[in-house]
Each structure stands twice: as C-alpha cells, then as structure tokens.
Amino acid sequence: MIHVLSERRGTAPVVPVGPTDTIVAGARNGKVAALPLAGPIKEAKRSLRETNALHQQILDRLGVSPVAEDQLIRDLAVPAGEIAPQLVNLELEGRIIRQPGGFLSRA
C-alpha cells in the first residue's frame, strides 16, 4: 500500500501504516519521492529467568524516592532498548510508577 503525504499541512488523511507500506512525500515540480519504511522492530529474545533477573535488578534500584530513568539505565549498564520494554511491563503490572520529568519509583 502507498500513502501520499500532501505538502499542505492538514490536508492528508491519517492512515495507519504497516511495516510493508511506503510513505510517499508530496510532489514537487511533478516529482514524487518514495520513502521505504524500516522493518518491524525486533525485540531481543530473553528467557523467563533472564527477564525475571532484569526485573529484579530494576526493582532493587528503585525505592519510594524517584530515580531518573536515564540514570537507572546507566546504572544497569544494559542497552535502553532492552530496558524500556521491561519498564513498561513493570508499569503495567503496577510494580513501578512513572513520575513527571522522566522519573521512576516503586509502587
């Protein structure tokens, strides 16, 4: 599927874009530029034991006092792309709370 973006803001409808779709930039002087989208994001495969250990490391570093998310990532020395989904999981489980300003604390 191909989606066309108009040069005039607000004139193109918002259409969901899938991983195999192409976004086409607005035409200028009769020329159209196609921009292929990146493939789907691949999440690192972790065993249940490794995931549980990472959750425990995160929870061990959090307390009732908020900690900056970027500081937590530096302290754990694990790539942000691996920690971010686990923070979302812990937040959805109600084990951590996101505070204003990018801070995290235990629930």
Side-chain angles (χ1 to χ4, degrees):
M1 178 179 276
I2 295 178
H3 303 283
V4 177
L5 300 178
S6 172
E7 285 187 20
R8 291 177 31 190
R9 293 179 190 255
T11 59
V14 176
V15 180
V17 179
T20 59
D21 294 344
T22 299
I23 295 178
V24 178
R28 269 198 184 170
N29 301 327
K31 296 181 181 176
V32 176
L35 306 171
L37 297 178
I41 297 172
K42 295 179 183 176
E43 190 173 323
K45 296 286 184 187
R46 289 184 167 271
S47 70
L48 185 57
R49 183 169 295 183
E50 291 171 332
T51 301
N52 194 26
L54 182 56
H55 284 194
Q56 194 58 50
Q57 287 177 341
I58 292 169
L59 293 172
D60 287 345
R61 283 174 172 73
L62 295 177
V64 292
S65 299
V67 174
E69 184 174 349
D70 58 344
Q71 182 63 47
L72 175 69
I73 292 169
R74 282 192 298 272
D75 290 346
L76 292 171
V78 177
E82 292 181 29
I83 292 179
Q86 302 311 319
L87 292 174
V88 171
N89 288 338
L90 289 169
E91 185 179 11
L92 291 172
E93 291 173 2
R95 299 176 75 186
I96 65 172
I97 299 171
R98 288 193 185 270
Q99 306 285 341
F103 287 88
L104 302 165
S105 63
R106 270 188 116 144

